Amino acid sequence: MQSQEWRLFRYAGFRIRFPDVAQNDLMSESFNHSNMSLTVMKFGGTSVGDAERIRQAATIVKAHAQAGNDVIVVVSALSQVTDLILNVLNAARLGDRRVMEEGLLQLASRHEQVLSDLSLGEELNQVLSDVRATLQRLREFCSALLLLRVATRQVMDVALPLGEQISARIFEACLNQLEAKGKFVDSARVLVTDDKFGDASPDMESTRRRCGEVLLPLLREGQIPVVMGYSGATHAGQVTTLGRGGSDYSATIIGAAMDADEVWIWTDVDGVLTADPRICSDAITLPEITFAEAIELSYYGAKVIHRKAIRPTMEQGIPVWIKNSFKPELQGTKIVKSLPPSNRPVKAVTAVTQASLVTLTTRWDVHFAEVFGRLFLSLGHENIDILFSTQSSSEDSLGLVLREQDTEHVVRSIQKLFRTELKHGVLNPVEVHKDVAVIAVLGSDMKGTCGILGRLFSAVARNDVSVIAVAQGASELNICFAVTAARANEVIKAVHQEFLSPGTEKMRPRPKIH
Ligand code: ADP
Ligand code: ASP
Ligand code: MG
């Protein structure tokens, strides 16, 4: 590259940063699509769950493209396929050949059924042979695991995105069948990440460049790129995944990298609701929420958006829509930069149901802040999310509420970090309280509204549930508290009933403190 300088260009209604070297090319006549807007559309597992759903999704894409928009599609694997791949890999790793073979058979028959239901015509044989080749790779991979009996996160990341590889190939064929010019794109070519296998984060600068190199020419040719969600690759080309549910994140990363006008996340519910509708049947769709609220919601377990997906688009102010692919006529939820104050202090309730509370106490009169400062620094370096923490100076104790999957690792880190302190009794042995759920009550208008905490904990107490730990963020965007996991759903329902159920006068504004 002649120059490291980047310039801003306006193309197709969005801005892309190109290196100087490409400038002449990009400014040529053929490059000028200036009135079109770019939408990144992501379809989740249920939205591509079977042939009918895939055809519906492809029809949505085609209609939007025909209305004069550029579209980039990001797809998840067919519903439950990633779970199935995971089971197959685990079975192989543990030497269970029978379960492995059953899983491989299930994967083959599921995809072949979809292909036969799609009646792809001429392209069928080619797609079928591509799908079979991908499944053959998975089989060979499993055979290697059967011998090795071990699989690191890096090894798992090679095989886990195979579901997306198949679904993106099928989606491409379905678009072509509708004469909409789909083009399969391997995510490893466009999405550059760090090497945190299993939970990778993007290198935005490199991703931006790759998207410009790979996706832009396709758009210029009037094609619709169909990118595999969930995965990417490091600079060295090692495949990575972005964490479970990561296709949302893929879509917002690509949306930000391409300076898209909007990102639309198609799923199986009407948008972001006041609670998980599987728990609260009377949950209602929120027409709009802010990026900050969406981040909190997803961080605290609302599965509808991946916990890291909002950040890339938030930084550029690109609106994200959550829409129901089963009811495309509905508007859905728009996630925006800011909203005027509403008369609803509480907007939603959500939960992380697999968490634990790790408690550390100092035995002697030690410098508490220094000890725990070292701990936070070390957890930060290891990229561990702390759901919330509580500190009490008088007892010299610190409570960390963590995702269950991180707990063992954190306990080991504490034991390593404070080996000497634990050995000499400066710190008491680490206590772990498992099977905890974190309930998060969210809403930017809770700030300064009186009486929320009182109403909240009265509602919880009426259900005879005891609260294990509590935290209210200084931003007052959320109130988090931990309860026994087994009671989580009751608590969510009680909180929803208190603040959010439709038709209750409780939704009326509360007096504000001035
Ligand atoms: P996809 O396969 O489309 O990515 P997910 O299953 O990951 O879909 O996410 C959608 C699911 O998220 C919904 O079916 C719903 O049960 C769950 N969910 C949890 N909390 C919420 C919420 N606050 N609003 C909407 N859906 C929620
Ligand atoms: N298929 C992946 C998963 O199930 C990614 C996604 O669906 O977003 O986690
Ligand atoms: Mg999802």
Side-chain angles (χ1 to χ4, degrees):
M1 193 177 304
Q2 288 167 3
S3 161
Q4 286 302 319
E5 270 183 42
W6 297 86
R7 300 207 171 174
L8 285 170
F9 281 84
R10 185 89 193 155
Y11 161 71
F14 54 93
R15 294 181 313 283
I16 302 224
R17 294 166 6 125
F18 295 104
D20 269 5
V21 70
Q23 187 177 352
N24 290 339
D25 254 18
L26 298 171
M27 289 181 75
S28 71
E29 196 61 23
S30 63
F31 192 73
N32 188 9
H33 291 239
S34 57
N35 289 326
M36 296 175 80
S37 74
L38 175 69
T39 310
V40 175
M41 288 197 182
K42 175 258 169 175
F43 292 90
T46 40
S47 299
V48 290
D50 59 28
E52 196 190 329
R53 305 301 316 145
I54 296 173
R55 200 174 294 115
Q56 160 83 347
T59 307
I60 290 173
V61 171
K62 183 185 171 185
H64 198 61
Q66 272 186 336
N69 303 290
D70 277 326
V71 185
I72 296 172
V73 175
V74 174
V75 275
S76 293
L78 274 56
S79 51
Q80 268 123 49
V81 159
T82 310
D83 287 336
L84 205 47
I85 295 177
L86 193 58
N87 285 348
V88 165
L89 295 173
N90 281 332
R93 186 172 61 90
L94 299 170
D96 192 338
R97 188 184 284 274
R98 190 184 57 82
V99 171
M100 177 193 108
E101 288 294 347
E102 273 173 18
L104 287 170
L105 265 180
Q106 260 179 289
L107 283 167
S109 70
R110 173 89 188 275
H111 289 106
E112 290 189 14
Q113 180 67 50
V114 166
L115 283 176
S116 111
D117 293 347
L118 271 174
S119 326
L120 288 175
E122 278 177 17
E123 213 178 333
L124 175 64
N125 283 342
Q126 188 53 54
V127 185
L128 196 56
S129 100
D130 290 349
V131 170
R132 285 183 178 155
T134 305
L135 290 174
Q136 179 58 25
R137 273 182 57 208
L138 180 60
R139 169 175 289 283
E140 284 159 12
F141 198 87
C142 288
S143 303
L145 291 188
L146 269 179
L147 289 173
L148 293 168
R149 297 289 166 93
V150 66
T152 58
R153 281 184 166 210
Q154 179 175 358
V155 168
M156 299 291 269
D157 273 3
V158 177
L160 283 170
L162 293 180
E164 273 73 12
Q165 182 163 331
I166 296 175
S167 64
R169 178 69 185 93
I170 297 177
F171 204 102
E172 172 198 43
C174 192
L175 279 174
N176 289 336
Q177 190 191 19
L178 298 176
E179 295 177 353
K181 290 173 97 178
K183 185 71 188 161
F184 171 89
V185 177
D186 187 336
S187 52
R189 292 178 63 209
V190 290
L191 212 154
V192 184
T193 73
D194 61 14
D195 61 358
K196 192 168 181 227
F197 297 99
D199 190 25
S201 297
D203 171 340
M204 283 309 293
E205 210 49 52
S206 305
T207 301
R208 198 180 283 278
R209 190 176 58 245
R210 294 275 192 90
C211 284
E213 287 163 2
V214 177
L215 301 180
L216 211 50
L218 297 177
L219 294 175
R220 286 172 67 189
E221 288 162 15
Q223 310 217 54
I224 300 174
V226 182
V227 187
M228 297 161 53
Y230 182 41
S231 59
T234 62
H235 283 278
Q238 301 147 306
V239 177
T240 52
T241 61
L242 306 172
R244 293 304 307 272
S247 302
D248 301 336
Y249 197 20
S250 308
T252 55
I253 293 167
I254 291 170
M258 294 291 288
D259 268 323
D261 291 273
E262 294 193 337
V263 175
W264 294 10
I265 294 180
W266 292 97
T267 184
D268 61 352
V269 283
D270 293 350
V272 176
L273 277 73
T274 47
D276 187 341
R278 287 182 222 193
I279 299 169
C280 300
S281 54
D282 59 350
I284 45 176
T285 310
L286 297 162
E288 288 183 311
I289 57 169
T290 63
F291 286 122
E293 288 168 338
I295 285 176
E296 296 291 314
L297 254 163
S298 53
Y299 188 82
Y300 288 109
K303 202 184 162 209
V304 68
I305 322 167
H306 181 267
R307 77 193 146 85
K308 293 196 274 183
I310 295 302
R311 288 202 185 273
T313 34
M314 179 175 88
E315 276 155 26
Q316 282 165 246
I318 300 170
V320 178
W321 288 85
I322 311 293
K323 285 170 172 284
N324 190 343
S325 71
F326 291 73
K327 299 183 214 160
E329 67 285 1
L330 297 183
Q331 255 213 316
T333 299
K334 188 176 187 185
I335 304 174
V336 294
K337 222 174 192 166
S338 61
L339 284 171
S342 84
N343 63 352
R344 256 187 178 200
V346 174
K347 275 213 177 144
V349 53
T350 184
V352 176
T353 49
Q354 290 177 321
S356 48
L357 170 68
V358 171
T359 308
L360 264 182
T361 46
T362 54
R363 209 182 283 172
W364 295 345
D365 190 15
V366 288
H367 202 299
F368 182 80
E370 194 215 303
V371 171
F372 297 134
R374 277 164 58 203
L375 175 60
F376 278 108
L377 204 62
S378 144
L379 296 182
H381 285 149
E382 294 179 60
N383 280 323
I384 300 285
D385 288 337
I386 298 166
L387 292 169
F388 72 84
S389 63
T390 57
Q391 187 212 315
S392 142
S393 302
S394 60
E395 289 175 47
D396 285 351
S397 80
L398 176 75
L400 298 176
V401 183
L402 305 159
R403 292 198 172 83
E404 197 133 292
Q405 76 221 36
D406 293 329
T407 307
E408 225 183 281
H409 180 84
V410 170
V411 170
R412 263 188 273 120
S413 293
I414 292 173
Q415 279 161 350
K416 205 164 133 197
L417 188 67
F418 296 120
R419 205 174 37 243
T420 317
E421 289 83 349
L422 285 163
K423 189 170 164 200
H424 296 292
V426 176
L427 282 178
N428 290 313
V430 186
E431 285 170 44
V432 181
H433 186 146
K434 285 197 170 167
D435 300 322
V436 157
V438 173
I439 313 289
V441 180
L442 308 150
S444 39
D445 291 312
M446 291 196 301
K447 197 178 174 71
T449 304
C450 290
I452 304 274
L453 279 175
R455 282 172 64 194
L456 174 62
F457 291 116
S458 302
V460 177
R462 279 198 296 277
N463 280 266
D464 215 12
V465 176
S466 79
V467 173
I468 300 167
V470 188
Q472 177 169 26
S475 66
E476 290 188 51
L477 197 59
N478 69 51
I479 300 162
C480 291
F481 57 99
V483 296
T484 303
R487 310 291 303 275
N489 285 1
E490 283 168 71
V491 175
I492 292 171
K493 282 183 191 159
V495 174
H496 196 267
Q497 178 66 33
E498 175 66 29
F499 294 101
L500 297 159
S501 288
T504 55
E505 57 91 36
K506 290 163 188 162
M507 278 161 54
R508 280 207 239 120
R510 295 267 134 184
K512 287 250 180 195
I513 306 173
H514 294 289

